[in-house]
């Protein structure tokens, strides 16, 4: 990704600045960053690019498995659980090569750009060839994802994931051999070969407490700490995992992670669904973040996590589309509030501004980019514009734009996405991937064939 080098002006018909919507905002952009923000600009300045609608900071998809996009429409019917869904997921993972993964991820990340997403956290554990043999470049699969993000015009934090066992004391199964480096030291050695780029950060992940032996958790945590890199972990997504962890270690997954130094302000627990009060206190007290993925959690019948209690305890909230049952961060934000309404039978747990912050600034912070997710001088010039005249959004006066964005708009209402000052989506069309639906269909059909 090459940021725009020349100075340009974007005139925003309406813009969400911190917690309120302002009409007539001019953004000066140079070298990929915002250099000035001027409010009260009633008419577009000469030569300005005009963005009609409501402009928000670019959205952050804090949890993605790009290859899961190939499952959409094939696993939504019939009975079963997370564990039966996982077997179908493995069948797709078995077919991917660096070349086919690049094609699929490029299309998936382009779909994200069309949804207003400017940065993705890719929870990446598909490292090796089938059978576990490393590629000539041991990071060929990760490099394919980094290149795909560049080709689609968005930023990526590659959360290279340690996945070493099938369960507590169990060797990887045949499918999981692609995921495993053997031990955490070998994982760390391979990860250390990855290099950051203008559009790409390198982070780390513990797949789960069942997939990384307890005596190797500290190795992964230390690798991330030494580099001040983000560290993510699937946490208590399933009650079966909690039960197995208690049986193996006599404590919950959260307590096990705390014992081995995994928790902290640069760490994000993904899902955090089935927690005890003590777990919530440990996560909040350590400043560990929580990434909720409501559309996936409902699709897989995982349950509703205690997001309100986690945030009150001190755990910042971010959002992810995870399995990509849909790719729509506005829907993720809306679903977090609506799930809580269903669970408690009361309304109004978050303001629209707080939900947008989870979808933007706090998501970017979880991906290691704390200066992103705001329309402010010095911030990356990453923003997205939502139409206020579609059949979903027409009606409310502009000052209600934030509420409209969260509670009415969808990804289909995104008109523009700008990343590093470059127009990646213009008037609802991707500027780098000409036909995103066709690119998705072609990549998915190749896998199914």
């Amino acid at each position: 990704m090459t940021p725009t080098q020349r100075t340009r002006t974007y005139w925003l018909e309406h813009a969400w600045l911190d917690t309120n919507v302002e009409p007539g905002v001019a953004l000066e952009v140079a070298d990929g960053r915002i250099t000035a923000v001027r409010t009260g600009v009633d008419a577009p300045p000469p030569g300005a690019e005009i963005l009609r609608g409501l402009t928000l900071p670019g959205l952050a998809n804090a949890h993605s498995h790009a290859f899961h996009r190939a499952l959409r429409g094939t696993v939504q019917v019939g009975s079963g659980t997370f564990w039966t869904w996982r077997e179908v997921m493995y069948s797709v993972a078995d077919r991917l090569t660096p070349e086919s993964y690049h094609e699929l991820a490029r299309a998936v990340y382009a779909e994200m750009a069309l949804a207003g997403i400017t940065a993705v956290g890719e929870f990446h554990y598909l490292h090796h060839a089938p059978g576990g043999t490393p590629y000539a470049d041991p990071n060929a699969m990760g490099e394919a994802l980094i290149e795909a993000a560049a080709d689609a015009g968005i930023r990526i934090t590659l959360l290279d994931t340690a996945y070493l066992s099938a369960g507590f004391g169990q060797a990887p199964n045949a499918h999981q051999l692609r995921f495993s480096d053997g031990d955490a030291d070998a994982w760390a050695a391979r990860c250390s070969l990855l290099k950051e780029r203008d559009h790409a950060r390198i982070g780390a992940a513990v797949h789960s407490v069942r997939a990384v032996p307890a005596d190797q958790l500290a190795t992964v945590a230390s690798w991330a700490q030494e580099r001040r890199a983000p560290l993510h972990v699937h946490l208590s997504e399933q009650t079966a995992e909690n039960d197995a962890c208690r049986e193996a270690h006599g404590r919950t997954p959260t307590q096990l992670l705390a014992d081995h130094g995994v928790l902290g302000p640069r760490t994000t627990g993904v899902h955090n669904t089935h927690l005890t009060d003590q777990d919530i206190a440990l996560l909040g007290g350590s400043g560990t973040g929580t990434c909720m993925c409501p559309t996936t959690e409902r699709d897989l019948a995982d349950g509703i996590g205690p997001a309100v209690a986690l945030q009150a305890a001190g755990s910042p909230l971010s959002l992810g589309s995870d399995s990509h049952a849909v790719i729509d961060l506005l829907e993720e934000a809306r679903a977090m509030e609506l799930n809580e309404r269903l669970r408690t039978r009361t309304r109004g747990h978050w303001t629209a501004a707080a939900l947008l912050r989870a979808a933007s600034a706090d998501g970017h912070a979880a991906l290691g980019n704390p200066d992103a997710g705001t329309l402010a001088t010095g911030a990356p010039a990453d923003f997205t514009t939502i139409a206020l005249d579609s059949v979903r959004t027409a009606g409310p006066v502009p000052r209600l734009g934030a509420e409209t964005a969260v509670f009415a708009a969808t990804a289909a209402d995104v008109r523009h996405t700008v990343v590093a000052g470059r127009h990646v989506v213009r008037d609802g069309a991707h500027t780098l991937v000409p036909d995103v639906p066709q690119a998705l269909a072609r990549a998915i059909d190749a896998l199914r064939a």
Side-chain angles (χ1 to χ4, degrees):
M1 177 188 303
T2 301
T4 180
Q5 297 300 310
R6 67 181 180 85
T7 300
R8 66 177 60 183
T9 301
Y10 285 92
W11 182 78
L12 319 179
E13 185 180 26
H14 303 282
W16 185 60
L17 302 181
D18 295 327
T19 59
N20 61 291
V21 174
E22 293 283 347
V25 175
L27 297 183
E28 304 289 342
V29 172
D31 298 329
R33 291 192 172 265
I34 298 171
T35 57
V37 180
R38 293 185 285 122
T39 59
V41 183
D42 295 334
E49 295 207 37
I50 299 171
L51 304 185
R52 300 232 175 244
L54 171 64
T55 298
L56 311 172
L59 306 179
N61 188 352
H63 189 66
S64 162
H65 302 290
F67 74 93
H68 289 191
R69 175 62 178 82
L71 299 173
R72 187 188 295 176
T74 66
V75 293
Q76 271 70 43
V77 296
S79 61
T81 65
F82 166 86
W83 306 102
T84 53
W85 168 88
R86 189 176 70 159
E87 292 304 312
V88 182
M89 179 270 287
Y90 283 156
S91 71
V92 173
D94 288 343
R95 301 187 190 111
L96 285 162
T97 66
E99 294 75 21
S100 64
Y101 204 5
H102 170 265
E103 289 303 305
L104 176 60
R106 171 179 173 267
V108 173
Y109 296 154
E111 182 182 356
M112 290 184 191
L114 289 171
I117 293 164
T118 58
V120 60
E122 184 61 39
F123 200 100
H124 168 57
Y125 54 81
L126 192 54
H127 302 306
H128 308 299
T133 302
Y135 290 103
D137 175 356
N139 286 305
M141 295 294 268
E143 292 291 344
L145 292 165
I146 291 171
E147 182 181 350
D151 290 347
I154 71 171
R155 303 181 192 272
I156 185 172
T157 296
L158 187 74
L159 298 160
D160 198 287
T161 304
Y163 195 136
L164 307 172
S165 58
F168 299 100
Q170 301 175 29
N173 65 31
H175 300 292
Q176 295 163 345
L177 291 172
R178 295 197 75 172
F179 311 161
S180 177
D181 291 292
D183 60 36
D185 287 331
W187 167 86
R190 180 183 52 74
C191 285
S192 297
L193 300 174
L194 289 162
K195 304 300 181 187
E196 296 195 342
R197 272 142 268 191
D198 287 343
H199 79 290
R201 289 185 57 83
I202 307 301
V206 170
H207 179 272
S208 56
V209 294
R210 72 177 185 272
V212 177
D215 62 0
Q216 298 185 59
L217 289 169
T219 299
V220 182
S222 295
W223 187 94
Q225 184 175 13
E226 289 166 5
R227 291 160 178 77
R228 301 185 65 80
L231 173 62
H232 288 213
V233 54
H234 289 136
L235 181 56
S236 288
E237 182 180 5
Q238 298 293 324
T239 55
E241 179 179 291
N242 289 355
D243 295 342
C245 187
R246 286 191 179 95
E247 183 176 349
H249 296 288
R251 63 205 67 198
T252 67
T254 301
Q255 292 166 338
L256 187 67
L257 295 175
D259 290 347
H260 292 276
V262 176
L263 303 185
R266 282 192 299 277
T267 300
T268 297
V270 181
H271 303 303
N272 292 1
T273 307
H274 303 286
L275 303 176
T276 67
D277 290 344
Q278 183 181 1
D279 292 340
I280 293 170
L282 282 170
L283 292 167
S286 62
T288 300
T290 294
C291 179
M292 305 298 291
C293 305
T295 64
T296 292
E297 289 150 5
R298 73 191 183 197
D299 182 54
L300 298 181
D302 286 344
I304 299 171
V308 171
L310 283 160
Q311 188 173 53
S315 180
L317 299 179
S318 56
L319 296 164
S321 63
D322 191 359
S323 69
H324 312 315
V326 298
I327 294 178
D328 189 338
L329 261 287
L330 300 173
E331 171 61 18
E332 302 293 346
R334 174 163 57 247
M336 188 164 69
E337 165 68 23
L338 298 185
N339 282 355
E340 194 66 18
R341 292 182 185 186
L342 284 174
R343 191 178 69 81
T344 63
R345 291 182 291 175
T346 60
R347 307 176 78 207
H349 302 278
W350 291 277
T351 64
L355 293 169
L356 285 176
R357 181 174 179 85
S360 56
D362 286 344
H364 289 290
L367 299 180
N369 299 305
D371 61 342
T374 182
L375 301 180
T377 301
D382 300 353
F383 39 91
T384 187
T385 304
I386 295 170
L388 292 177
D389 58 357
S390 77
V391 292
R392 288 164 295 276
T393 61
V397 295
R399 66 181 176 81
L400 296 178
E403 286 74 10
T404 299
V406 171
F407 293 108
T410 72
D413 296 308
V414 170
R415 291 294 175 265
H416 305 280
T417 301
V418 173
V419 183
R422 178 173 64 170
H423 232 126
V424 175
V425 174
R426 186 189 298 273
D427 296 321
H430 203 288
T431 63
L432 304 176
V433 182
D435 189 336
V436 177
Q438 182 59 36
L440 285 163
R442 186 168 55 246
I444 294 169
D445 286 347
L447 288 178
R448 291 178 177 170

